[in-house]
Amino acid sequence: MARVLSLFRHQPFLVHVGRRKPALCKMSMDSRARMVFAAAVEAVQPDTVVRQSIERKQDSVIINGHKFTLKHNLHLVGFGKAVLGMAAEAERILGDHLVKGVVSVPHGIQQTLQQNGKDHLLLKENSRIRVMEGAKHNLPDTDAQKAAEVIKELASELTEEDLLLVLISGGGSALLPAPIPPISLQEKKDVTRKLAGAGATIQELNTVRRALSLLKGGRLAHYAHPAQVVSLILSDVIGDPLDLIASGPTVPSEVWPEEVLSVLERYKLLNSLPASVKEVLERPSPSRSHKTDESSKSGRVLNAVIGSNSVALKSAGRRALELGFRPLVLAPGVCGDVRAVSKLYGLLARFACSREEPPPEIAAELLKLGPEVGVESWDLCRTMQVLGEGRTEGWGSTCLLAGGEPTVELTGKGRGGRNQELALRVGLELRGMQLPPTGPVFLSGGTDGQDGPTDAAGAITDGGLYEEAQAQALDVNNFLTNNDSYTFFSRLSAGQRLLVPGLTCTNVMDVHMLLIPPIPINIG
């Protein structure tokens, strides 16, 4: 996984910040946190990432360092929540060579974009790209299955002279359901639902999905062979593993029936399998994978991640610097239970804000917690070293950034999401610390703009949260027990701490931000 770390030499940084100091003094830490988050989201807009990844030069196009000839030979397919905006920008750049295309997008997305003034993410009236909506509630359905069939047919008709541009984003798996006959869509959904309910990992789920699909696991590229296939991917998965994003339809992978049966046996589902699934799994290892391997080995498939959490964090870091902070990225893959993750940020805040040398117990506890929350020891040591240097050498304010996708254990029936619950729990961890602007501020927000079934992306918190809630007769622990963080933040100070960016049209997981003010040092 790529590690993003922005380190700046002391003198240039102080000069840079000094130029902006008068304006920054008028801006609250809350406002600056929101601006940094907005910069993260802006960097991974679907049209932006496509525009930055495609370089048009007359009758050729350069993508990821590879040059492809354009001669009215371009075809386009796509599937995912952000794909409509990606397709609109691709057609703007390459439309004069586009023969035809089809995209599978969420039900109602065109109307939603229109209602929110996002016309630039919609296709033009004379577009050569067909839009097919489906997957209501992010679940594969017959509409999405029809779109998958049209995509398969388009790919199957291509020749060696053709170029197939494949656009992929989060939600792509549900928008490309193509069960191998005689398996029905409902049967495939039942198998994967039972697996997920039994606790199967995402890797295990994808192993089974690929085995039961006509298009996943590199098989879309197989149907397109011998055409040149180029996939542009907006990643919503930690670490950007190509085979997991939308189950890797253009990423060759060998699927062995024995491996699939082993997964099903592990979760005691073998005996309850539909006859159609058993029939498919009992077939000999598919020779169709030979053609997929052939296309990839001959350089006929290019997969490029053009937008990810790391890209968002880089942009956030640049904006933080402009706003007077020294940006520092912890890691783009924070995961695990929000209770452990909130403890991580609470410890980091106390470590960074200590006016004296932090007690060694804090560092020891952070290193012990790291593996539980997806942060490597090296990243924690590096972060603590930089925070320590910033404190002792007087570097001013710091913006600690991280990304990922923590999980929440559901114990209640309230409204909220992982970002709002994380912010609420971090607020408790910061209790007793100084308030802004002399104390830390924490923000957690989902780049998709929707944290759980709410209109908020997340929330902002600080050390005064608990007392503020008490003064307004809000019992924090009751809200946490009921997983009701949205109701809590909505009632607290008229919702001022909520992060509500509106429709963002993208998704590269979450952004976590810890703003640390300049810390006066006690020299004993």
Side-chain angles (χ1 to χ4, degrees):
M1 184 189 302
R3 296 297 189 212
V4 186
L5 174 62
S6 299
L7 292 175
F8 299 89
R9 295 185 184 276
H10 308 174
Q11 281 189 336
F13 174 76
L14 292 173
V15 171
H16 187 69
V17 173
R19 292 196 191 110
R20 292 166 172 74
K21 196 168 184 179
L24 293 175
C25 290
K26 299 176 184 177
M27 196 182 300
S28 70
M29 291 177 72
D30 179 291
S31 297
R32 284 186 277 171
R34 293 173 188 272
M35 292 173 75
V36 172
F37 177 77
V41 172
E42 185 62 32
V44 288
Q45 286 297 293
D47 57 333
T48 301
V49 294
V50 169
R51 187 163 56 250
Q52 292 177 345
S53 64
I54 295 178
E55 183 183 355
R56 175 71 185 271
K57 288 195 173 181
Q58 296 178 332
D59 289 342
S60 66
V61 59
I62 299 173
I63 299 174
N64 209 33
H66 296 76
K67 187 175 182 180
F68 304 101
T69 300
L70 297 171
K71 45 187 177 182
H72 305 287
N73 59 339
L74 178 66
H75 298 73
L76 183 150
V77 299
F79 31 91
K81 295 179 181 179
V83 153
L84 192 56
M86 296 171 74
E89 188 63 25
E91 188 170 25
R92 269 191 283 272
I93 299 170
L94 305 170
D96 54 329
H97 286 276
L98 180 63
V99 179
K100 65 177 177 179
V102 58
V103 291
S104 177
V105 297
H107 177 79
I109 185 66
Q110 294 176 98
Q111 183 179 354
T112 300
L113 289 172
Q114 285 175 336
Q115 291 172 345
N116 285 270
K118 305 282 186 179
D119 290 354
H120 63 289
L121 299 179
L122 292 166
L123 298 171
K124 303 300 182 186
E125 285 186 13
N126 60 348
S127 173
R128 291 192 175 97
I129 301 171
R130 178 182 176 187
V131 180
M132 300 183 72
E133 296 187 355
K136 283 186 182 178
H137 312 299
N138 201 30
L139 294 171
D141 57 18
T142 53
D143 288 335
Q145 188 175 8
K146 288 174 186 173
E149 180 60 32
V150 174
I151 288 172
K152 181 170 75 73
E153 287 175 3
L154 186 153
S156 302
E157 295 169 356
L158 302 181
T159 70
E160 190 174 2
E161 299 298 314
D162 291 314
L163 172 62
L164 178 64
L165 187 63
V166 183
L167 307 175
I168 303 173
S169 74
S173 187
L175 286 159
L176 195 73
I180 298 174
I183 302 172
S184 70
L185 179 60
Q186 187 59 50
E187 287 171 333
K188 186 183 175 188
K189 284 166 62 176
D190 288 343
V191 170
T192 52
R193 179 180 52 80
K194 288 177 183 177
L195 265 177
T201 65
I202 185 65
Q203 289 83 1
E204 290 170 330
L205 281 168
N206 273 287
T207 295
V208 175
R209 282 183 185 136
R210 288 195 295 262
L212 306 182
S213 173
L214 287 169
L215 296 176
K216 288 161 186 170
R219 290 173 185 162
L220 175 58
H222 148 72
Y223 281 107
H225 188 76
Q228 172 68 56
V229 176
V230 178
S231 290
L232 303 182
I233 302 165
L234 186 58
S235 170
D236 69 335
V237 182
I238 288 176
D240 309 328
L242 296 175
D243 62 323
L244 293 189
I245 304 167
S247 301
T250 57
V251 182
S253 64
E254 195 77 50
V255 178
W256 297 97
E258 297 82 5
E259 184 183 359
V260 180
L261 291 170
S262 174
V263 171
L264 294 167
E265 186 175 16
R266 191 173 305 137
Y267 295 100
K268 299 179 171 56
L269 295 176
L270 270 181
N271 294 333
S272 61
L273 287 179
S276 59
V277 174
K278 288 181 180 177
E279 178 186 332
V280 168
L281 293 178
E282 287 169 359
R283 293 173 185 171
S285 295
S287 58
R288 59 176 174 267
S289 65
H290 169 72
K291 194 176 178 185
T292 306
D293 290 343
E294 183 182 281
S295 64
S296 61
K297 287 176 183 176
S298 61
R300 304 297 287 177
V301 179
L302 171 66
N303 290 292
V305 175
I306 61 172
S308 65
N309 192 266
S310 290
V311 171
L313 294 184
K314 283 182 184 177
S315 179
R318 287 192 293 269
R319 188 70 176 114
L321 180 62
E322 293 170 358
L323 292 170
F325 294 96
R326 180 172 181 271
L328 172 64
V329 175
L330 172 65
V334 176
C335 57
D337 191 275
V338 288
R339 288 171 290 196
V341 175
S342 66
K343 193 172 184 181
L344 171 84
Y345 290 122
L347 288 168
L348 283 168
R350 294 186 185 278
F351 180 92
C353 295
S354 177
R355 297 189 176 207
E356 300 171 346
E357 186 68 25
E361 291 80 9
I362 293 182
E365 202 167 349
L366 278 166
L367 291 171
K368 183 180 178 182
L369 194 59
E372 191 179 339
V373 295
V375 182
E376 295 179 10
S377 297
W378 184 87
D379 282 320
L380 282 169
C381 289
R382 167 183 56 79
T383 298
M384 286 188 284
Q385 180 181 354
V386 175
L387 289 174
E389 291 171 355
R391 182 180 60 253
T392 57
E393 299 181 25
W395 286 352
S397 303
T398 299
C399 175
L400 181 66
L401 293 159
E405 206 166 70
T407 55
V408 173
E409 181 184 351
L410 295 177
T411 55
K413 297 181 179 179
R415 296 181 69 199
R418 59 179 178 266
N419 286 286
Q420 292 165 86
E421 181 153 332
L422 176 59
L424 180 48
R425 290 186 180 277
V426 171
L428 296 183
E429 294 288 339
L430 300 181
R431 185 182 176 191
M433 299 188 71
Q434 291 194 37
L435 304 184
T438 57
V441 166
F442 178 80
L443 176 149
S444 183
T447 55
D448 62 354
Q450 187 175 17
D451 188 39
T454 76
D455 62 355
I460 302 177
T461 191
D462 56 50
L465 179 84
Y466 183 82
E467 283 71 22
E468 187 179 329
Q470 272 200 322
Q472 297 175 37
L474 297 173
D475 188 323
V476 175
N477 291 320
N478 281 349
F479 284 101
L480 282 173
T481 301
N482 197 33
N483 299 118
D484 205 13
S485 52
Y486 177 74
T487 304
F488 171 82
F489 280 114
S490 297
R491 293 181 183 173
L492 182 71
S493 302
Q496 290 180 8
R497 291 180 179 267
L498 282 171
L499 180 65
V500 189
L503 184 69
T504 66
C505 309
T506 189
N507 181 21
V508 294
M509 301 181 292
D510 305 334
V511 171
H512 303 156
M513 187 188 318
L514 183 63
L515 300 185
I516 301 160
I519 306 300
I521 307 300
N522 292 339
I523 302 175

